[in-house]
Amino acid sequence: MDRARRPRSLLAALTAALLAVPGITALSSAARAADADVAVNGGFESGLTGWTCTAGTTVTSPVHSGSSALQATPAGSDNAQCSQTVTVQPNAQYTLSGYVRGSYVYLGASGTGTTDVSTWTQSAPDWQKLSTTFRTGAATTKVTIYTHGWYGTGAYQADDLTLVGPGGSGTTQPPAAPAGLRTTTVTSSSVALSWSAVTGATGYAVYRDGTKVQTVTGTSATVSGLAASTAYSFQVTAVNDAGESARSAVVTATTSAGGGGGGSSDLPAHALVGYLHASFANGAGYTRLADVPDSWDVIDLAFGEPTSVTSGDIRFNRCPVTECPNVESDADFKAAVKAKQAAGKKVLISIGGQNGQVQLTTTAARDTFVSSVSKIIDTYGLDGLDIDFEGHSLSLNADDTDFKNPTTPVIVNLISALKSLKARYGAKFVLTMAPETFFVQNGYQYYGTGKWGGQDPRCGAYLPVIHALRDDLTLLHVQDYNSGPIMGLDNQYHSMGGADFHIAMTDMLLTGFPVAGDPNNVFPPLRPDQVAIGMPASTNAGNGYVSPSEVTKTLDCLTKRTNCGSYATHGTWPALRGLMTWSVNWDRFANWEFQKNFDAYFG
């Protein structure tokens, strides 16, 4: 029987009997509170709220109780630890326990002020309870509890972790759920929210369609990067040192209609983007612009390159006859541009590429970039510009740590140049970008040189450019190829060669992610109509080629949430714009396999 429900007369009688025994005194207030569980979200019913994990996610099976449990997989030098710092009382006894599954699973506490403790199991094929006790030191007010696996031993699960003992002398309970959540300003790409303040809260977390997208200290927030004419649901939680509150009541908002920025409204719902080798042939051979099949909706002319790395002076030199015997004349090329446009296609000049390093280190180089790119666009009557800066074109200065407010000249000048071009050509100007994963998704782990230096300054260097231009950006198609392993939002590394890599990398763009792991510095999601997935057209085109069946799996998962494999996406995006490939020429070399698969999928 629950002690709190005993009849008052019986409890009084028991107390009187105990006090009659020599050496027994009245129970202290700490002892009366000793059966409280001071851990937050030990059942992982609220995801990883309250926990800090080097690798891990929540799963719905297997679970010990409730609907969720922790699952984490050690990898390399990471033992997949999840930890939580809990407020405790000095000179108090605590019992740490939990249920685990897997090989070599540990449960422990550190910072106790006395002797840190841990317990473990070598093998738990089914749920097994681990338990240990400790006493806090005379000045101890916080203790860290943790669970982890062991290197190279596979995934483990943990559930129903508790720390039973007297609550801390400070804040011992999460705050109440916020009330009064409402929408204020709604645009085609953003929703502004406000709510009532909560006593004891030190911050608030904003959820969009069930996914945490932002943390703030005040009682208002604007969620951006939304799709036009789309319904979204929002909730807010209050946060303090003890954890996170329950979520508020749901409010919904439908964004207004909008062109989507950068001329994207002129594109079909699902578009195929391809690079055309216009200034060189290489092993794929030269393909005339007029011979590009109608399946290709955006054609990027590769490449415009600078006269020198820092000049900003971009030149577009068409392939010479000596290298491309079948090259068309300038007149025929310009006529082909007009014909493609008449058929509803977009033809862009792509700047950079593997050999075209561009560093706009000065405002003079910025202005030269604008004038020289404009000259190319005007000469050939093009629809816009693709930024394909690779290598060392973009990197961050050591003191440039905030992607929302960049200070590095090559970043600031590029943003300014692109805004100038957008202003010059107006709403129909098409702006696309094709960064490598190292410059975008790798920013989830690392940004620039890092807090302590030593990191590659190019890590995440595209993020400030994408963020500053997100309202003008028609398409972002990250190159999901020629890439090393990249950590996804599940805190697992994903590698090229299958649908999993494309799903995880695209999910990051459509969900948003904390930059360098900072939950207070979140890169907001892009609209699905702004995102295409970059893939090699054939095995000859680049590392990371996947078969048509893997392309289909990727599209099924992201647009229908079926055929996903092991990675759990954070949403379903039927408005995903489409695919990009390097290149049209290599696809022709491979008998148009990439194009045919796209046509078959989207009809």
Side-chain angles (χ1 to χ4, degrees):
M1 180 182 294
D2 190 309
R3 181 174 59 187
R5 295 181 182 178
R6 287 188 187 273
R8 180 178 177 85
S9 59
L10 178 57
L11 181 58
L14 288 173
T15 302
L18 284 171
L19 289 174
V21 178
I24 300 295
T25 58
L27 295 173
S28 69
S29 60
R32 287 198 300 270
D35 58 354
D37 177 14
V38 295
V40 175
N41 188 31
F44 301 95
E45 301 302 311
S46 298
L48 297 179
T49 298
W51 295 91
T52 299
C53 300
T54 61
T57 187
T58 53
V59 293
T60 56
S61 178
V63 299
H64 178 257
S65 71
S67 59
S68 297
L70 168 70
Q71 178 167 295
T73 305
S77 60
D78 179 19
N79 62 9
Q81 176 169 296
C82 281
S83 63
Q84 177 180 139
T85 300
V86 182
T87 302
V88 294
Q89 287 191 11
N91 289 322
Q93 190 76 12
Y94 289 87
T95 299
L96 174 65
S97 64
Y99 291 84
V100 300
R101 293 174 82 254
S103 300
Y104 294 96
V105 192
Y106 291 72
L107 181 67
S110 60
T112 63
T114 55
T115 301
D116 291 349
V117 295
S118 67
T119 181
W120 62 288
T121 178
Q122 180 175 348
S123 177
D126 203 353
W127 292 108
Q128 178 178 326
K129 186 176 182 179
L130 297 178
S131 184
T132 185
T133 62
F134 61 88
R135 189 169 186 83
T136 53
T140 302
T141 58
K142 291 186 181 294
V143 167
T144 298
I145 61 174
Y146 62 85
T147 182
H148 65 72
W150 198 247
Y151 311 101
T153 56
Y156 72 91
Q157 294 84 34
D159 200 2
D160 296 332
L161 306 186
T162 61
L163 182 62
V164 176
S169 56
T171 299
T172 60
Q173 295 295 328
L181 178 62
R182 59 195 179 278
T183 61
T184 53
T185 303
V186 179
T187 72
S188 62
S189 61
S190 66
V191 172
L193 304 164
S194 65
W195 55 90
S196 302
V198 176
T199 301
T202 57
Y204 301 88
V206 181
Y207 288 79
R208 186 202 72 229
D209 294 333
T211 299
K212 184 187 293 186
V213 294
Q214 199 172 142
T215 57
V216 296
T217 56
T219 57
S220 64
T222 298
V223 181
S224 58
L226 306 178
S229 303
T230 302
Y232 293 92
S233 65
F234 301 94
Q235 292 172 285
V236 179
T237 61
V239 180
N240 63 17
D241 285 344
E244 188 172 359
S245 74
R247 297 183 189 182
S248 69
V250 175
V251 298
T252 59
T254 300
T255 51
S256 58
S264 64
S265 59
D266 293 335
L267 294 176
H270 300 293
L272 183 61
V273 182
Y275 286 80
L276 183 69
H277 307 179
S279 59
F280 59 93
N282 79 12
Y286 185 81
T287 299
R288 292 174 174 241
L289 178 57
D291 294 335
V292 176
D294 286 342
S295 298
W296 302 88
D297 301 295
V298 180
I299 303 166
D300 293 324
L301 304 176
F303 287 105
E305 298 180 354
T307 54
S308 69
V309 172
T310 59
S311 70
D313 188 5
I314 307 300
R315 305 295 175 89
F316 175 50
N317 298 310
R318 299 187 55 242
C319 192
V321 175
T322 52
E323 184 178 349
C324 305
N326 59 325
V327 66
E328 66 270 59
S329 66
D330 277 353
D332 286 345
F333 188 81
K334 292 176 183 178
V337 170
K338 291 182 178 179
K340 289 297 180 187
Q341 292 167 333
K345 313 304 178 183
K346 304 296 181 184
V347 185
L348 316 180
I349 179 64
S350 180
I351 306 298
Q354 179 179 333
N355 299 324
Q357 305 293 297
V358 181
Q359 296 175 2
L360 304 182
T361 56
T362 65
T363 54
R366 174 199 65 190
D367 295 342
T368 301
F369 181 88
V370 172
S371 61
S372 61
V373 170
S374 297
K375 183 177 180 180
I376 296 170
I377 291 172
D378 294 343
T379 297
Y380 293 97
L382 305 178
D383 296 287
L385 171 67
D386 172 69
I387 298 296
D388 186 13
F389 285 13
E390 300 178 13
H392 291 270
S393 292
L394 295 182
S395 63
L396 295 157
N397 289 349
D399 59 351
D400 193 348
T401 59
D402 181 2
F403 77 91
K404 296 176 183 176
N405 299 287
T407 58
T408 303
V410 295
I411 304 291
V412 173
N413 290 332
L414 176 60
I415 292 169
S416 177
L418 296 178
K419 285 186 175 291
S420 295
L421 287 164
K422 172 69 177 180
R424 174 177 295 198
Y425 291 101
K428 296 298 182 181
F429 183 74
V430 179
L431 175 64
T432 67
M433 299 182 190
E436 296 164 290
T437 56
F438 187 84
F439 295 90
V440 183
Q441 290 94 336
N442 199 48
Y444 176 53
Q445 278 190 286
Y446 311 107
Y447 188 70
T449 57
K451 294 180 179 179
W452 299 279
Q455 294 174 187
D456 192 318
R458 298 173 297 165
C459 294
Y462 247 97
L463 293 177
V465 181
I466 298 167
H467 185 68
L469 276 301
R470 62 172 56 243
D471 291 337
D472 300 311
L473 183 63
T474 310
L475 285 175
L476 177 71
H477 31 64
V478 175
Q479 301 177 35
D480 286 0
Y481 47 90
N482 297 333
S483 170
I486 302 291
M487 181 177 284
L489 295 180
D490 58 352
N491 291 327
Q492 305 297 311
Y493 284 98
H494 299 266
S495 300
M496 299 184 303
D500 171 81
F501 188 67
H502 298 297
I503 293 167
M505 295 302 99
T506 308
D507 181 61
M508 297 179 78
L509 302 177
L510 297 173
T511 302
F513 54 87
V515 175
D518 183 354
N520 297 312
N521 195 29
V522 175
F523 178 78
L526 293 166
R527 302 188 315 269
D529 64 274
Q530 288 179 296
V531 176
I533 309 170
M535 303 178 175
S538 69
T539 55
N540 303 94
N543 295 320
Y545 167 79
V546 297
S547 66
S549 63
E550 292 299 299
V551 177
T552 297
K553 286 181 183 178
T554 301
L555 294 172
D556 279 349
C557 180
L558 294 168
T559 64
K560 304 173 185 176
R561 216 168 192 175
T562 61
N563 215 9
C564 286
S566 61
Y567 184 88
T569 66
H570 292 77
T572 308
W573 302 281
L576 179 74
R577 184 63 75 178
L579 303 177
M580 174 274 280
T581 194
W582 176 264
S583 63
V584 174
N585 304 62
W586 281 117
D587 195 36
R588 181 182 184 181
F589 187 84
N591 195 32
W592 302 114
E593 177 189 78
F594 196 89
Q595 171 207 309
K596 290 175 182 177
N597 191 58
F598 177 88
D599 288 346
Y601 192 90
F602 288 114

